[in-house]
Amino acid sequence: MSTESIGVIGAGIVGLAVARRITELFPGSAVTVLEKEDRVGAHQTGHNSGVVHAGLYYPPGSLKATLCRRGVGLLQEYCQEKGLPYDECGKLVVAIDDDERPALERIRERATANGVPDLRWLGADELREIEPHGAGVAALHSPRTAITDFVRVAEAYADDVRAVGGVIRLGFRVTGIRQVAGRVEVRSAREALRFDRLVVCAGLQSDVVATWAGDDPGPAIVPFRGEYYRLKPERTHLVRGLIYPVPNPEYPFLGVHFTKRVSGGVDLGPNAVLAFAREGYTRTTFDRHDLAATLRWPGFRRLARRHWRMGVAEMAGSLSTTLYLRFARRYVPEVSAADVERAPSGVRAQAVDRDGGLVDDFRISRLGDVLAVRNAPSPAATSSLAIAEHITGHLQDHVRPL
Ligand SMILES: Cc1cc2nc3c(=O)[nH]c(=O)nc-3n(C[C@H](O)[C@H](O)[C@H](O)COP(=O)(O)OP(=O)(O)OC[C@H]3O[C@@H](n4cnc5c(N)ncnc54)[C@H](O)[C@@H]3O)c2cc1C
């Protein structure tokens, strides 16, 4: 047992899962979660597709693959125990023509290597037995892929932390970090707190906060807004579960998909357009510091030079419902502009290395007594309980026994 005090910055699903796991592993420790917003799950955790990914795409052996597979099992058990929504509605990854079959075959190989259960390869007719309004020549069916409500999951983690004496301080905006005499000082505008250890899970601000603790500026977060449409209630019968395209390996996070929600609705999206503010949920939200930081980052300039055509196409789709739907209609041809309305957007924290490379895997850095999550994109919500085990495993080496 330890009497250490451990701080966690960020009450998103990752920070709360970490705090919860700390209370399990180090029962005597004092855990405090610091969150700048007035509620938990206010950013990525509260603005996503709500899909519990089964682990189809990730390179075998990567953190994403191993933590996703472990995370799904833990999350399913957790949702059952707490009575939280968990609907195994299943997912189709669809090859729209014969050219896409080899890429779909590679996904099947990866998914099999990752241990995704109950996969089936479907021909066009079988595909339509599962999604009668769907199109495509073949599909990979993952019947165990599920949907949930990640904000409710995060709230439940927060309740677990509070139930054993942990503290969640909402409205606490961290403005600085200093490592002094074997302790870590965390400042807000009004006060300074000291901890023995600190874990940074700051999502869209993860690079900024990590550099306060002495970490490198890279990878920097480049915010990409993901815009959604929602099928009007009278058209939700067009989609029964989850319909995904075969991802382009160069842009694995691109590709509008159809997503059933636990509320019963069906969303289309997200696309990916550069956001002019890290927490900018509308096209007109603009933060000159955030935008200047993005434009200054050499990795962003390299990324933009390499991929500007894709960027322009995504922007065009953002401005025009017809263009947006052109892609989606390849998968569900009956969907028209009259069937959809705009739904709330999310912003992805896309970590970009100095050389312009998109950081694909989860990334965590250690700086003395501070651990910083530098990249926790999808499927981090799915994997949150496993990410927490992974991170606290690092802490465990360092927590001093009494
Ligand atoms: C459009 C979109 C769709 C997605 N779809 C899925 C999906 O279907 N399935 C899936 O598994 N994953 C999905 N993801 C990814 C998933 O949402 C994220 O990986 C996950 O929510 C990351 O959680 P987090 O706790 O790291 O970050 P966040 O939820 O962003 O939390 C970070 C927290 O840190 C706080 N913070 C930041 N700076 C400070 C500071 N200075 N002081 C105090 N607090 C601070 C923020 O306010 C925030 O609450 C999606 C993401 C997006 C954007």
Side-chain angles (χ1 to χ4, degrees):
M1 195 197 285
S2 155
T3 53
E4 288 225 329
S5 62
I6 305 178
V8 176
I9 300 179
I13 200 163
V14 174
L16 289 166
V18 167
R20 182 181 170 277
R21 182 70 184 149
I22 290 170
T23 65
E24 283 180 348
L25 269 188
F26 315 121
S29 59
V31 182
T32 307
V33 181
L34 305 172
E35 167 57 51
K36 65 182 166 60
E37 305 296 345
D38 61 1
R39 63 195 190 282
V40 307
H43 290 294
Q44 293 177 96
T45 300
H47 296 86
N48 60 44
S49 299
V51 176
V52 182
H53 290 290
L56 299 173
Y57 313 109
Y58 319 120
S62 63
L63 279 179
K64 270 191 180 177
T66 49
L67 298 181
C68 178
R69 284 302 312 141
R70 168 115 184 111
V72 175
L74 293 173
L75 184 64
Q76 182 172 18
E77 252 174 54
Y78 186 80
C79 288
Q80 264 159 13
E81 188 191 311
K82 299 280 176 181
L84 294 166
Y86 192 95
D87 173 4
E88 282 188 340
C89 61
K91 162 172 170 173
L92 289 179
V93 185
V94 175
I96 219 67
D97 54 33
D98 287 336
D99 291 347
E100 289 191 343
R101 281 180 197 269
L104 187 61
E105 183 57 56
R106 281 193 292 278
I107 291 172
R108 170 161 64 170
E109 283 161 17
R110 274 195 176 181
T112 307
N114 290 341
V116 178
D118 304 330
L119 287 172
R120 275 203 317 147
W121 184 274
L122 308 180
D125 292 340
E126 293 163 307
L127 180 164
R128 267 178 287 280
E129 278 167 28
I130 302 218
E131 290 289 354
H133 301 274
V137 296
L140 188 61
H141 185 217
S142 163
R144 305 287 296 278
T145 298
I147 50 174
T148 188
D149 179 338
F150 286 121
V151 173
R152 286 189 58 192
V153 173
E155 285 168 349
Y157 294 169
D159 288 344
D160 291 346
V161 172
R162 290 190 190 103
V164 292
V167 175
I168 317 273
R169 297 234 0 219
L170 300 174
F172 191 109
R173 179 182 291 271
V174 176
T175 55
I177 298 171
R178 202 161 60 108
Q179 302 202 41
V180 271
R183 304 203 78 202
V184 188
E185 185 179 274
V186 177
R187 290 186 307 282
S188 74
R190 262 174 260 125
E191 61 185 307
L193 304 176
R194 286 201 172 182
F195 301 102
D196 295 305
R197 312 278 159 194
L198 180 72
V199 186
V200 177
C201 306
L204 287 152
Q205 313 290 343
S206 55
D207 53 346
V208 174
V209 179
T211 53
W212 293 337
D215 204 1
D216 291 336
I221 293 298
V222 174
F224 282 96
R225 198 175 54 260
E227 296 159 325
Y228 290 90
Y229 282 90
R230 185 157 292 164
L231 286 185
K232 291 185 179 161
E234 62 275 19
R235 300 295 276 165
T236 52
H237 67 277
L238 292 177
V239 176
R240 288 182 174 171
L242 307 167
I243 306 178
Y244 276 62
V246 175
N248 176 340
E250 242 191 298
Y251 309 103
F253 65 88
L254 278 188
V256 165
H257 44 85
F258 288 83
T259 312
K260 187 180 165 194
R261 296 285 187 169
V262 287
S263 57
V266 175
D267 285 357
L268 289 77
N271 61 355
V273 287
L274 183 67
F276 300 141
R278 285 179 184 233
E279 291 159 8
Y281 294 98
T282 67
R283 246 182 267 153
T284 49
T285 322
F286 175 86
D287 179 301
R288 69 190 163 87
H289 295 294
D290 285 353
L291 185 59
T294 297
L295 298 177
R296 264 200 316 270
W297 179 242
F300 171 72
R301 295 200 298 269
R302 292 192 178 108
L303 180 78
R305 269 199 300 276
R306 235 174 273 155
H307 301 298
W308 66 270
R309 274 194 191 83
M310 184 58 87
V312 170
E314 288 291 298
M315 289 287 275
S318 162
L319 295 171
S320 152
T321 307
T322 311
L323 281 181
Y324 192 103
L325 288 184
R326 191 175 290 169
F327 183 81
R329 281 164 54 88
R330 298 169 75 205
Y331 299 88
V332 182
E334 285 168 62
V335 171
S336 74
D339 296 329
V340 298
E341 52 206 8
R342 292 231 179 224
S345 302
V347 182
R348 293 185 189 82
Q350 177 60 55
V352 178
D353 275 324
R354 187 173 282 277
D355 66 2
L358 302 172
V359 181
D360 186 42
D361 210 356
F362 300 145
R363 196 181 283 184
I364 296 153
S365 48
R366 182 205 293 269
L367 315 131
D369 292 324
V370 180
L371 284 175
V373 176
R374 294 298 301 256
N375 193 43
S378 185
T382 301
S383 320
S384 52
L385 291 169
I387 293 176
E389 287 181 343
H390 181 74
I391 290 176
T392 49
H394 287 287
L395 270 183
Q396 207 165 12
D397 307 337
H398 281 253
V399 170
R400 289 179 289 259
L402 262 182

